Amino acid sequence: MSVSFERMRQESPGIFSEACPSRVVLDHVMSKWGVLVLLALTDGTRRWGELRRSVDGISEKMLATTLRTLAADGIVARTSYPEVPPRVEYSLTPRGVELMERMTPLMTWIQANADELVAR
């Protein structure tokens, strides 16, 4: 590993402390639904129904909350088209793409090891 937890704390005192904004970002990005919505958006722009089908088990309320949070964080873009019926699309912002470039290896590792870890 190139950067340790202690080194991060030395370079940015207070990082990951209780009052640090990093805790909020971790909560938004690394929540179960946040991760799954972000993964679904790595395949490209999606409409509401497509996301709902892609993220198995998520309720409409939780999908709406997750998308609203990730959009407020600047990780997901929400584009609304003035049509009848209304059409709304969601996609990763450049910051979201950058995040997923870093998070995808972790998700690949989880995919490869989940069965064994859960079986213990």
Side-chain angles (χ1 to χ4, degrees):
M1 297 221 117
S2 60
V3 179
S4 71
F5 182 60
E6 284 306 316
R7 182 172 172 195
M8 292 173 82
R9 293 177 82 182
Q10 288 171 356
E11 292 175 359
S12 300
I15 190 79
F16 303 121
S17 67
E18 188 173 353
C20 182
S22 62
R23 294 264 186 119
V24 175
V25 175
L26 282 169
D27 184 43
H28 295 176
V29 171
M30 298 305 292
S31 70
K32 171 175 65 174
W33 300 122
V35 168
L36 294 174
V37 167
L38 290 168
L39 278 172
L41 290 173
T42 60
D43 291 331
T45 300
R46 300 279 183 113
R47 291 179 70 176
W48 173 273
E50 294 171 311
L51 280 171
R52 182 90 196 283
R53 287 185 295 277
S54 294
V55 183
D56 190 37
I58 194 168
S59 68
E60 288 187 16
K61 181 180 178 182
M62 188 52 66
L63 179 57
T65 300
T66 302
L67 287 168
R68 192 176 315 115
T69 299
L70 294 173
D73 290 342
I75 297 168
V76 169
R78 180 185 187 275
T79 305
S80 180
Y81 298 92
E83 302 173 351
V84 178
R87 178 172 55 113
V88 178
E89 294 179 340
Y90 299 90
S91 60
L92 294 175
T93 63
R95 179 171 280 168
V97 170
E98 182 183 358
L99 169 65
M100 292 313 293
E101 287 171 353
R102 288 161 171 75
M103 198 155 61
T104 301
L106 171 62
M107 301 316 298
T108 301
W109 184 90
I110 290 171
Q111 176 188 14
N113 292 281
D115 289 340
E116 183 182 338
L117 292 170
V118 171
R120 292 179 179 238

